[in-house]
Amino acid sequence: MTGKTPRTVLVTGPGGAGRTTIAAATALAAARRGDRTLLLCADPAGPGAVLGTAATTAAGVEPAEVTPGLWVARVDPADYFRNEFLALQERAAAALDMLGARRLDGEELTELPGAEQFALLQALRRAAAGDWNVLVVDLPPLREALSVLALPERLRRLIGRLLPAERQAARALRPMIAQLAGVPMPAGWLYGAAARRDEELAAVQALIGSPSTTVRLVAEPGPAAADALREARDGLSLYGLRVDALVPNKVLPTDSSDAWLATLAAQQQKCLDGWSEEYGLGSAPGAGAGWQLREVRHLGRDPRGLDDLAGLEALADLGPDLGPDTGPDPDPWWVEDRREEEGLLVWSLPLPGAVKADIGLVRRGDELLLTVGPFHRIVPLAGALRRCTVSGAALTDGVLKVRFTPDPGLWPRTP
């Protein structure tokens, strides 16, 4: 183990855009550059079809080397659910025996809905702890991928609210409290399990939020993909996810003599021009430098095998050097002190592409509930902002500016 966070590329996009192909090509390029690389596939079928028949055996849960420097593993929701259920059954053995319950065998278990997301989080945690220089993750389609990437933060908040860590410290007082309250107190193993889960989720959250982690979007140029990308940009900004590139995939040649293909190519080119203007470098106010666009030409067939993947030159570059030694990533949400000029603190949140009608803002205690389109996030307020009241908000040039007025009753008084 290196003890360092690997350079991580999270690959997602609208369904059918070729995410697995782009993820595999990106991982192969990193491996051939000399990096010890893991390709993690969320599709239970694994990436064998894309890598070629010689690599179809590399669809196991444990990493298997398919070419020098490149290992492949897949997420198995059934295996994850089975192991988790059996472990829970073992911990609750005493209660089950007291109730006369008949235990289930592993062969009887089939995963429940939602197991895929938790299995993916566990696979990410295990991969982050491995000895990898580069981790490429073939995520589910765009909307589902954003939900999964936001899940660790949400679950940690729920665990902290339902089973606060400070209550664990009062373990010795539980029998007395139970007698006084007349109700049984949660068993110690419950707090222990919550602490373990929180630690695991924290590791995944650290990987997702690391300065060495970026999202790579894959989309086939067209109206449906354009709508999906526009919506996803809100979620990416809200969750603080960094995009290193937008990969327009399956781009048709523009010099075809076939009228039908020429028409399709012209439609694609019109979409690409729009993407370059809307998302390209320097095009997004309040969002830094925008996204790199890396077109991948249509091969005339589905890519199959390492030779086809190696020919996708546009993916050889992993983007800017965002390695684990670059230091902490600056907070994209910043607080500006305007107390002297206006008596305010202003919290700025870049939300490029968002429109006023899609934004919701509610304060509850020391947290801010943010809604942008279909996406939601609950953000804890910084210490200074907790001693203020929200006095207004405005969306200007893709940046949401929330105004806070210091509360005289809570703000330290100047001598």
Side-chain angles (χ1 to χ4, degrees):
M1 296 203 24
T2 63
K4 297 180 180 180
T5 303
R7 173 69 175 93
T8 303
V9 182
L10 306 171
V11 182
T12 185
R19 301 184 314 275
T20 300
T21 297
I22 301 305
T26 301
L28 179 62
R32 294 192 170 179
R33 192 180 62 183
D35 290 316
R36 180 180 168 86
T37 304
L38 173 65
L39 171 60
L40 180 63
C41 185
D43 187 344
V50 171
L51 293 171
T53 56
T56 53
T57 57
V61 176
E62 295 301 322
E65 190 172 18
V66 298
T67 191
L70 175 59
W71 280 259
V72 177
R74 65 176 174 85
V75 178
D76 187 342
D79 180 73
Y80 166 81
F81 179 78
R82 186 181 306 110
N83 292 335
E84 289 292 306
F85 187 92
L86 292 177
L88 176 63
Q89 185 175 246
E90 186 63 29
R91 287 195 297 269
L96 293 175
D97 291 343
M98 183 173 61
L99 294 172
R102 182 181 176 185
R103 300 191 195 184
L104 296 173
D105 296 326
E107 293 76 11
E108 300 178 70
L109 300 175
T110 302
E111 72 270 20
L112 295 176
E116 297 87 351
Q117 290 85 347
F118 290 99
L120 177 55
L121 293 182
Q122 185 195 56
L124 282 173
R125 179 182 64 83
R126 293 175 60 186
D131 189 16
W132 310 109
N133 302 117
V134 175
L135 170 62
V136 180
V137 187
D138 174 22
L139 289 173
L142 192 49
R143 186 73 176 271
E144 182 183 347
L146 290 175
S147 296
V148 172
L149 296 176
L151 196 55
E153 180 181 84
R154 293 176 178 175
L155 291 177
R156 294 190 69 201
R157 179 181 178 275
L158 290 176
I159 291 174
R161 289 289 297 271
L162 296 176
L163 295 170
E166 55 269 19
R167 293 186 184 177
Q168 173 70 358
R171 177 169 43 189
L173 299 177
R174 278 199 207 110
M176 182 185 302
I177 296 174
Q179 286 186 336
L180 293 174
V183 295
M185 299 298 291
W189 70 267
L190 181 60
Y191 284 93
R196 287 192 299 273
R197 281 287 179 261
D198 183 73
E199 183 178 353
E200 293 172 356
L201 291 168
V204 180
Q205 187 178 352
L207 174 71
I208 295 171
S210 168
S212 61
T213 297
T214 55
V215 176
R216 181 160 294 188
L217 298 173
V218 184
E220 185 174 353
D227 292 341
L229 289 175
R230 196 169 293 114
E231 178 186 88
R233 182 170 56 179
D234 292 338
L236 291 164
S237 301
L238 183 63
Y239 301 143
L241 300 170
R242 292 167 294 279
V243 176
D244 69 3
L246 168 59
V247 182
N249 193 26
K250 305 178 184 177
V251 177
L252 298 170
T254 57
D255 56 355
S256 174
S257 58
D258 185 287
W260 183 73
L261 284 178
T263 300
L264 291 179
Q267 292 174 351
Q268 283 192 341
Q269 195 58 50
K270 181 179 179 180
C271 182
L272 289 172
D273 292 340
W275 287 357
S276 180
E277 182 178 350
E278 187 170 1
Y279 305 114
L281 299 178
S283 65
W291 303 346
Q292 293 187 42
L293 268 65
R294 302 184 186 177
E295 296 182 23
V296 174
R297 299 294 176 182
H298 203 303
L299 296 180
R301 63 184 186 282
D302 290 335
R304 178 66 64 91
L306 301 180
D307 290 340
D308 281 353
L309 296 178
L312 304 181
E313 297 89 351
L315 306 174
D317 181 13
L318 292 180
D321 184 7
L322 300 172
D325 296 324
T326 57
D329 190 43
D331 188 352
W333 299 0
W334 66 93
V335 177
E336 184 179 354
D337 190 345
R338 296 185 187 172
R339 284 177 295 167
E340 290 189 6
E341 302 89 344
E342 305 175 43
L344 298 171
L345 295 173
V346 180
W347 195 14
S348 296
L349 298 78
L351 298 173
V355 296
K356 183 179 179 181
D358 291 338
I359 295 179
L361 188 66
V362 177
R363 178 176 179 175
R364 290 183 181 173
D366 293 336
E367 295 177 324
L368 202 63
L369 282 67
L370 281 169
T371 298
V372 184
F375 305 102
H376 308 274
R377 187 179 183 186
I378 300 177
V379 186
L381 293 174
L385 300 181
R386 295 178 183 181
R387 302 192 298 271
C388 302
T389 58
V390 177
S391 53
L395 181 68
T396 307
D397 293 331
V399 179
L400 177 64
K401 296 181 179 291
V402 186
R403 299 186 297 275
F404 289 82
T405 302
D407 185 338
L410 300 175
W411 202 263
R413 296 182 180 179
T414 304

